[in-house]
Amino acid sequence: MSLLRFDNVSKQYPGGQAALAEVSFEVAAGEMLFVTGHSGAGKSTLLKLIHLSERPSRGAVLLDDRNLLKVRGRQVALHRRRVGVVFQDHRLLGDRSVFENIALPLILRGMRRDEIGKRVRSALDKVGLATRERALPTQLSAGEQQRVGIARAIVGEPALLVADEPTGNLDPTLSSEIMALFAELPARGTSVLIASHDLGLVKRMRRRVLVLDGGRLADDIAPEDLADE
């Protein structure tokens, strides 16, 4: 079953080149995959279209067969509950504790306090930070901060998680640990799409890889083909 579909999607910024050109692919429910390519290939734009930070110039992006062009106004916030986002720079609130950072999306939903506590502690346990809920982001290492960002993205139990260069600021050991966390999510009902330029790491993960080149989908590599390289 297809969770996400790009149907001949193009994105043209005013006065600039096409960030994406006629891109088509599908992501199945419960799938983990990567999108890679050089800087400027269109990876970040692709993720922004999924999260509704941008809109396509042509074509359609569909989540559960719903055209995201039709998602407007208050529906955008509802859509973003279904799509978790992990940023390279964490984007944590420095004056709020780890617990408060992760709880924020649930507070904005108006969720009950006891349910928030249960979900936040479950998310912290999944990312190995159960003992750090009272810490401030500045008291954490870079790897721990990224784990908090992942916990915040998954605390709402999204159908899809997208991550933009989530290991770009981490050393190889931490990068592998973060990828291992992502790899556990599909079994829990969350599909995962990761933008990364780290080809070595991507190959080691043995997952499907979409290759962007100049805004076009240059290749769609199956895991078994990647393993033979």
Side-chain angles (χ1 to χ4, degrees), residues 7-11 20-24 58 215-217:
D7 189 3
N8 290 315
V9 172
S10 297
K11 175 62 179 180
L20 292 174
E22 300 178 356
V23 172
S24 296
R58 293 185 304 280
R216 294 185 178 275
L217 185 59

Side-chain angles (χ1 to χ4, degrees), residues 92-96 98 132 135-141 144-145:
L92 302 177
L93 300 175
D95 61 343
R96 302 291 179 92
V98 165
R132 304 305 306 271
L136 293 173
T138 53
Q139 297 172 311
L140 304 179
S141 68
E144 288 173 329
Q145 289 181 36

